[in-house]
Amino acid sequence: MLAALENARKEVARHLAGADPDRVTTAQAAALVTAFAEIERLGASGKVLFARRAALSMVWRDEGHRSAASWMAQKTGTGMGEAIGALETSAALGSLPETTEALRKGELSSPQVKVIAGAARGDPRTEGELLHAAATGSLKGLKETAARLRAAAHSSAEELARYNAIRASRSLRHWTDPDGAFRLDARLTPDAGARVLSVLRPEADARFHQARKDQNQEPPAAYLADALVALVGGEPVAGSTGSGSPRATVSIRVDAAALRRGHVEAGETCVIPGVGPVPVAVVRRQLSDATVKLLVVDAVDVVSVCHAGRTVPAHLQSALEERDPTCVVPECDVAQGLQNHHWVVDYVACKTTSLDNVARVCSWHHDLISYEGYVLAGGPGSWEMRAPPGGCSFETGTPFETTAPSDTTDPSG
């Protein structure tokens, strides 16, 4: 086996030595990237599979390293934290046979198997659901599934204990980079972090839209940084119509059964979309707060919406946000800065707004629909993006002549 792998390595190295990207077609370049990604995934799989066994050897000591992790970091060109994570993941595979098999087949990337092993280590029964999430969704979706499964508790006390552990370790640190840049790092509970973001994002959005009008766009993170400085410094708020800073409004999605019981069990959720799980007890404490928008769900139906807005459009928007937490276009994970799109009958024609006629899409896909002739079709659970005549479908994955979204299309990333 070792000899065959060495020959394969030499063959890949030989091809790379004479590679000239400018001498292949763009289609060939895309195919090569796909092939190298598969090779990379297989290599990462082999590294994780054999890492635990390699750590049992004395090779790392013979080569002058203090630990197996130090040896692993040097061999892989990574930091100690990543090397330790790889060894822990490899050790966890002993109790995860399905994950190990998927890894052998090259079906999982290194980040995917790390997330699965970390979540399933405490409860191997969740392995199947995690593998399904990895096979059918994005890495972001897999992380959200893992966070939801890890949040499942046997009692409200257990749920609160995890939350209080995070709160006890809350911190705000700052330092100066070698180039003189001021840096911040914060560790907050999910609900506290959501409040911070809910204040920063409208201000960042307003600055982004003004910059787009001025044709002077910057990266999304720059607008969030400016929003933080402006709000903390008491500067005029770009996105506010009144005096003072905007109030934070946090949306929380919770299963009706969990809300009644007092804690989340397997298959249920109590989460701040885009942030993470939060204990049901914390939600109960905040029910009287008008800045919290609570969406109570039973299976896939929204059974109750409670928030400061009392008009019918506000309730419709809440139900829409619950149904479409991210852009509905397949494989698009954008969750911030979404726009409502009348996908069945255009608003200009119908002059009405109903849940079955509206879908939430990101600004890039909204522009494709509005200006490039693309059509959103299918409906909830079966969305598809159809290309204009002469183009090609999003569903087929065939290349098309539309520029992909850049980091400057949405101030919230």
Side-chain angles (χ1 to χ4, degrees), residues 135-171:
T136 58
S138 63
L139 179 61
K140 177 184 176 183
L142 173 61
K143 288 181 177 179
E144 291 174 349
T145 299
R148 174 176 58 79
L149 292 174
R150 295 177 78 164
H154 298 292
S155 68
S156 58
E158 180 184 336
E159 195 174 61
L160 268 178
R162 284 199 296 258
Y163 175 87
N164 288 333
I166 297 174
R167 188 176 185 280
S169 64
R170 67 192 183 281
S171 62

Side-chain angles (χ1 to χ4, degrees), residues 195-206:
R195 287 181 179 274
V196 172
L197 289 177
S198 68
V199 172
L200 289 180
R201 280 171 177 157
E203 172 70 6
D205 286 346

Side-chain angles (χ1 to χ4, degrees), residues 44 48 54-55 96 105-106 108 143 154 170 182 184 197-198 207 215-216 227 233 252 269 354:
V48 172
L96 303 174
K105 295 178 180 179
L108 297 173
K143 288 181 177 179
H154 298 292
R170 67 192 183 281
F182 179 79
L184 278 175
L197 289 177
S198 68
R207 290 172 179 270
Q215 296 184 340
N216 184 30
I252 302 176
T269 186
S354 61

Side-chain angles (χ1 to χ4, degrees), residues 46-60 68 71-72 86-87 90-91:
K47 181 177 67 177
V48 172
L49 280 172
F50 289 96
R52 181 187 64 84
R53 187 66 174 169
L56 297 177
S57 75
M58 291 294 103
V59 172
W60 56 269
W71 174 83
M72 175 73 76
L87 289 171
S90 183

Side-chain angles (χ1 to χ4, degrees), residues 3 12 32 78 99 142 159 207 232 244 283 285 298 360 362 370 411:
V12 172
L32 285 168
T78 58
T99 303
L142 173 61
E159 195 174 61
R207 290 172 179 270
V232 172
V283 174
R285 287 202 301 262
D298 185 3
R360 299 214 302 161
C362 66
S370 301

